[in-house]
Amino acid sequence: MNIAQNKYKFIVLILALCLAFGLSGCKAKVDPQTAQAIQDAQAALQAEENGGTEETETASADDLYAQAGLIPIAGDDPLWADVEREKPAIAQLLAYKATFADTFDENEPSADDFWTVTGMGVTAVPPEKATDFNKINHVQRAVVLDYAAALLPGYEAGAEAPKLEDVYGVSGNPKSDIIDIDGLSINVTPTVVLLGTDEKSGQTVLRMHIEDKEGLIAQTDWDVLLAPWEDEEEHALPLVVKQFYSVN
């Protein structure tokens, strides 16, 4: 991507952020009725607040998992804590995809997309003591690439990363291995709708709802296939995104 294209895409991102946000391998089969099931579950929750019964809420949740072909993961499973920790970073990935659906290919990302999405993930869940008073994160290159390996299905840990050049908001210091990341983020509120095991593939599926205040994001519901790291090393984020796709 040349500099002119980079600037154009950056302007589009900034406009999107200003308008809607704020600067600060198997798929689980999902049929068209699933979206309606989500609405039904939400309606049941509202009914509960208005004097409905807990039994109705529970039944609707069970129906929603059944519609998605998922076996619920128990609430006391440690996986829930891992998902909660990584949720803000995953939400940034999904919001970026929703904003640039026609140009962002998570399996073969351009250098601009690679570093921007990774930088957003770092901003969402920054390493301890990495953020300065200007809300700029200063992070070792190896750690930044660990975020990339967790969030981008097309990038594997240890692989060569795209050249970091002319990427707005992300810059490298040639005299050190530190990468500086401005506090760019898309201001969305993420909600975990489902967390379960696919009945056919056995894969872990997170269904997430993302919503911006202005309601400009149309693709709000996503299924994310997650997996633990294959090694036993410590990582910046606890889970690896293997695949994700919109369900609405």
Side-chain angles (χ1 to χ4, degrees):
M1 180 177 291
N2 61 38
I3 295 176
Q5 290 174 320
N6 260 349
K7 289 183 177 178
Y8 172 77
K9 189 163 189 180
F10 179 70
I11 291 171
V12 173
L13 176 59
I14 294 302
L15 287 174
L17 291 170
C18 290
L19 289 172
F21 320 120
L23 286 177
S24 346
C26 285
K27 292 184 179 179
K29 296 297 182 181
V30 181
D31 60 39
Q33 295 179 343
T34 301
Q36 183 62 48
I38 293 176
Q39 295 176 3
D40 293 343
Q42 291 172 337
L45 291 174
Q46 185 62 48
E48 167 66 14
E49 294 178 0
N50 295 335
T53 64
E54 182 177 350
E55 288 77 7
T56 299
E57 177 181 339
T58 301
S60 296
D62 290 343
D63 290 344
L64 185 54
Y65 275 97
Q67 286 279 350
L70 299 177
I71 301 170
I73 292 176
D76 58 355
D77 192 299
L79 186 60
W80 276 96
D82 289 341
V83 166
E84 285 297 322
R85 169 169 167 72
E86 194 162 333
K87 180 173 70 175
I90 295 175
Q92 293 298 301
L93 169 67
L94 302 180
Y96 191 88
K97 180 69 173 183
T99 304
F100 298 110
D102 294 333
T103 59
F104 171 41
D105 181 353
E106 65 276 8
N107 296 304
E108 296 182 3
S110 67
D112 184 54
D113 289 335
F114 179 96
W115 291 107
T116 301
V117 171
T118 301
M120 287 181 166
V122 173
T123 299
V125 189
E128 187 176 0
K129 299 181 180 179
T131 310
D132 67 17
F133 64 94
N134 288 319
K135 296 185 178 180
I136 297 175
N137 289 294
H138 309 280
V139 187
Q140 289 184 329
R141 181 184 176 90
V143 176
V144 174
L145 294 182
D146 201 49
Y147 278 83
L151 294 173
L152 294 169
Y155 178 75
E156 293 188 10
E160 183 176 354
K163 188 174 183 180
L164 177 53
E165 184 178 66
D166 300 319
V167 178
Y168 286 91
V170 184
S171 59
N173 186 336
K175 295 183 179 180
S176 74
D177 68 343
I178 299 297
I179 292 179
D180 302 321
I181 301 170
D182 292 346
L184 280 174
S185 65
I186 297 178
N187 188 14
V188 293
T189 300
T191 303
V192 175
V193 179
L194 302 172
L195 181 62
T197 303
D198 184 88
E199 293 176 342
K200 295 181 179 179
S201 69
Q203 292 179 299
T204 299
V205 180
L206 162 68
R207 178 162 296 171
M208 181 182 289
H209 176 83
I210 57 173
E211 187 172 344
D212 62 293
K213 185 180 296 185
E214 289 76 9
L216 297 181
I217 290 182
Q219 294 177 306
T220 56
D221 296 280
W222 300 78
D223 276 359
V224 185
L225 275 60
L226 299 171
W229 291 87
E230 295 182 355
D231 57 34
E232 296 183 359
E233 303 294 328
E234 289 190 12
H235 292 275
L237 296 173
L239 300 167
V240 177
V241 174
K242 307 299 290 185
Q243 189 178 11
F244 61 91
Y245 51 96
S246 172
V247 295
N248 71 322

